[in-house]
Amino acid sequence: MAEDQLSRAFTALADPTRRDIVARLSLADATPGQLAEPFAMSLQAVSKHLKVLEEAGLISRSRDAQRRPCHLETAVLDEMTAWVDRYRRNAEERFRRLDAVLAAMDDDMHDDAHDTQHNDEHQQDEDEGVASP
Amino acid sequence: MAEDQLSRAFTALADPTRRDIVARLSLADATPGQLAEPFAMSLQAVSKHLKVLEEAGLISRSRDAQRRPCHLETAVLDEMTAWVDRYRRNAEERFRRLDAVLAAMDDDMHDDAHDTQHNDEHQQDEDEGVASP
DNA sequence: GTTGTTATCAACCAATCGGTTGAGAAAGAG
DNA sequence: CTCTTTCTCAACCGATTGGTTGATAACAAC
């Protein structure tokens, strides 16, 4: 299964039922019973979904008599946007540089034959070590 | 399986191997062979991962002789951050209002007994309709 | 043509996922 | 105490996942 935090978080949000739960918890805390009500599935199934969300760190649960109200935690959501945004920015920065190179080549076409050395596809820093099997 | 775009995208990034591929593609386009090289798994396995990423709309593939260079697409990454950020903001805005209510209650303690009606947990707009089974 | 390289397709397999039902724990109400 | 409500745990089931190996397609090089 998904071993690390980020894998658990993405796995959790990969399910539309769980995304709907997160969407509703963003508006108000709710008990498993309240969360299960609009779905055409058993309370036990929703309970499993909540467990997945909790183990991903996306929600926390307190206690109120028999009830176990669920609360959305935003820290892991932050980590997710940070990850996605980092690589989106990497890519867009790369495209921006490529556009600049193409523009320079276009200039040379109209200008003269300069010795342009365009040097895209260079390596940068890297984290998230090579995935282990 | 994951039927909608967002589910496919989150599912795709739920796997550490695929996240590593995305990370490297954010720096430079690469062929399946180049992408498979650092992994301790077969080229066929990586080819499957690329198929998942492609069907999620996260990468596109062109053609160069036998090679099928992969290119990271940023549009779906944008949709993912948009989704996550929306509900993170919902939650944080809600917490901010709750803090305000608590501060007002604290004021009343020091002030006098006013007829404060604090009205959190109200409903807002909602999309992502109730998930179908 | 044949050979070599690159990548995908197909079939298989163990493990996981998302649901079910049934039993039981935990707490308030009579 | 018993009864009800709320929720979780356990066992089961079919479908999907993530890997494997083997065959094959597509193209370059010879």
Side-chain angles (χ1 to χ4, degrees), chain B residues 6-126:
Chain B
L6 219 39
S7 293
R8 278 190 291 263
F10 279 114
T11 299
L13 293 193
D15 185 280
T17 299
R18 289 192 291 260
R19 279 203 307 283
D20 188 82
I21 289 173
V22 165
R24 283 156 61 206
L25 286 179
S26 80
L27 302 176
D29 292 0
T31 66
Q34 294 171 327
L35 290 169
E37 191 268 326
F39 295 122
M41 70 178 73
S42 67
L43 174 63
Q44 289 96 319
V46 172
S47 186
K48 277 196 191 181
H49 282 303
L50 293 174
K51 194 176 181 183
V52 172
L53 289 168
E54 186 177 33
E55 281 169 355
L58 286 165
I59 70 170
S60 59
R61 281 135 132 182
S62 47
R63 188 164 257 299
D64 168 36
Q66 316 100 311
R67 264 140 267 127
R68 303 294 312 276
C70 300
H71 177 84
L72 187 62
E73 297 290 336
T74 58
V76 177
L77 293 178
D78 282 338
E79 288 177 35
M80 296 180 77
T81 44
W83 194 96
V84 174
D85 231 52
R86 169 177 183 178
Y87 295 108
R88 184 186 56 77
R89 261 202 295 268
N90 266 7
E92 283 172 357
E93 166 66 12
R94 181 162 71 93
F95 303 156
R96 201 192 57 71
R97 279 199 305 269
L98 180 59
D99 284 348
V101 168
L102 292 178
M105 285 174 63
D106 195 49
D107 281 0
D108 286 359
M109 295 258 297
H110 299 297
D111 210 35
D112 222 348
H114 288 258
D115 202 80
T116 49
Q117 44 180 1
H118 35 87
N119 182 11
D120 201 18
E121 319 305 70
H122 58 151
Q123 290 303 321
Q124 282 186 355
D125 62 306
E126 180 66 75

Side-chain angles (χ1 to χ4, degrees), chain A residues 73-93:
Chain A
E73 297 290 335
T74 57
V76 177
L77 292 179
D78 282 339
E79 289 178 34
M80 296 180 77
T81 44
W83 194 96
V84 174
D85 231 51
R86 168 176 185 181
Y87 295 109
R88 184 185 57 75
R89 262 202 295 269
N90 265 7
E92 283 172 355
E93 167 66 12

